Amino acid sequence: MTDYYHVLGVKRSATATEIKSAYRKLARKHHPDVNRGSEKAAREFALLSLAYHTLIDPQERAFHDQQLDESTRETPFLGLDNNPHAKRAGNIAAQARWDRVVNQILENDRRENMERQRAVFTTVALFLSTFFVAMIKPPLWQSFGLAGKAILATLFMIGVWHLVRRLREYITHYTYKPDDINYSITREEREPDQPFTRFSAYAFILGGYMVSLGVGLFIGWRAQDFFADLTLLFRHHATASGIGSFSPTALVVSDLLFYPPIAVLIIDTLHAIASRIDTG
């Protein structure tokens, strides 16, 4: 059987921290993206992932150690080790099991990459839409009629629900609470599976939103003559419609809260459609 300690290049007495460190070092070297999608690299990376997930789990590691001990004590049946047909059948069965494991690991890696892309698209869409709305300040709501306003309101409600659901999903998947990590003097410190803390995620989202808002307002203020020509038609239509009683500040604030969720909804929907086309 495959010795996963040998695969990761660690001793059998290695701690979880040493196993994780060895895996990260080898994974960076053998990851398919680093090796231009090489099939050999993909299989090596899959084996590394299988070894890591086996040894990092206490129960899986104990079972693996038991199998290693049994394999060293086993004595082959008389004549079976010299039987070429038996060897061939054993190799075919082992290869089939290995192929299933590799395919499962590669599929999990592909899904994780897609989830990471979704998270990036959602947050980037939120920041960029906030930036452009703050910079251009498009008065779409004031210039639309009743039907247009109903469509915008519907898209806004769906967009808010979509944005909150996605952000909650990503925060749950990629962050952890430090209080949830228990420490003990009698056992090794357990590292979290998620890469970021819950506080850092909230700080990143709020900080990115505020930076996008500030930069957009600053550029819009500095280039107000240019963007005034761009939105002149909408503003004239809005004034002609009799919706000029709102203060400019109130209109800007309402736009900043209203349009970004709609933009995130549209961008995420287009990304999901493109991803399905690529995988289909």
Side-chain angles (χ1 to χ4, degrees):
M1 63 169 297
T2 305
D3 185 350
Y4 292 148
Y5 295 103
H6 178 72
V7 172
L8 294 178
V10 297
K11 297 180 180 179
R12 189 164 175 175
S13 59
T15 63
T17 302
E18 292 172 339
I19 292 173
K20 181 173 292 187
S21 176
Y23 168 71
R24 288 176 176 173
K25 180 179 179 181
L26 293 172
R28 286 193 296 265
K29 179 180 178 182
H30 295 283
H31 197 282
D33 293 343
V34 180
N35 295 273
R36 300 180 180 180
S38 169
E39 182 178 351
K40 179 182 177 182
R43 302 183 76 85
E44 291 175 348
F45 178 75
L47 179 58
L48 290 172
S49 299
L50 179 60
Y52 168 73
H53 287 96
T54 300
L55 298 182
I56 205 67
D57 185 279
Q59 294 182 348
E60 293 291 335
R61 183 175 182 177
F63 180 70
H64 176 67
D65 292 347
Q66 180 182 358
Q67 286 184 314
L68 283 179
D69 294 336
E70 291 178 354
S71 66
T72 57
R73 293 194 301 264
E74 275 183 355
T75 56
F77 292 105
L78 184 61
L80 184 60
D81 54 333
N82 295 322
N83 190 327
H85 299 289
K87 284 185 177 181
R88 188 179 301 111
N91 292 335
I92 293 175
Q95 183 64 38
R97 288 194 300 269
W98 168 242
D99 288 340
R100 287 195 297 269
V101 171
V102 169
N103 291 335
Q104 183 63 43
I105 292 176
L106 293 178
E107 177 65 20
N108 293 339
D109 187 61
R110 185 186 67 82
R111 291 179 180 177
E112 182 64 25
N113 287 335
M114 291 185 63
E115 288 297 323
R116 194 177 299 113
Q117 289 180 6
R118 288 176 56 196
V120 170
F121 264 81
T122 300
T123 52
V124 170
L126 175 62
F127 297 157
L128 286 180
S129 59
T130 302
F131 166 75
F132 282 113
V133 169
M135 182 174 60
I136 301 176
K137 306 177 187 65
L140 297 178
W141 176 267
Q142 297 89 332
S143 60
F144 278 172
L146 184 60
K149 291 179 179 178
I151 294 174
L152 283 179
T154 302
L155 290 175
F156 170 73
M157 290 185 290
I158 298 175
V160 169
W161 172 80
H162 170 82
L163 180 60
V164 171
R165 182 174 64 91
R166 282 290 178 88
L167 291 179
R168 181 182 300 174
E169 175 185 341
Y170 302 146
I171 289 175
T172 302
H173 184 72
Y174 292 107
T175 66
Y176 67 94
K177 293 182 179 179
D179 296 339
D180 294 340
I181 306 300
N182 300 320
Y183 303 96
S184 173
I185 61 175
T186 61
R187 64 180 183 180
E188 182 185 359
E189 179 178 323
R190 182 170 66 90
E191 294 188 9
D193 295 330
Q194 296 87 353
F196 308 107
T197 63
R198 194 68 52 88
F199 174 79
S200 64
Y202 287 127
F204 172 75
I205 294 174
L206 181 59
Y209 178 83
M210 297 304 296
V211 169
S212 301
L213 176 62
V215 173
L217 289 175
F218 177 77
I219 295 179
W221 172 67
R222 296 291 295 180
Q224 54 185 340
D225 293 337
F226 173 77
F227 292 115
D229 296 337
L230 187 64
T231 58
L232 180 62
L233 178 62
F234 293 101
R235 295 186 186 280
H236 181 269
H237 187 275
T239 304
S241 300
I243 312 177
S245 58
F246 294 99
S247 66
T249 302
L251 291 177
V252 170
V253 172
S254 63
D255 289 345
L256 292 174
L257 297 176
F258 194 79
Y259 298 122
I262 299 177
V264 172
L265 175 64
I266 295 174
I267 293 175
D268 276 358
T269 302
L270 294 177
H271 177 245
I273 294 174
S275 299
R276 290 183 179 180
I277 293 175
D278 291 339
T279 57

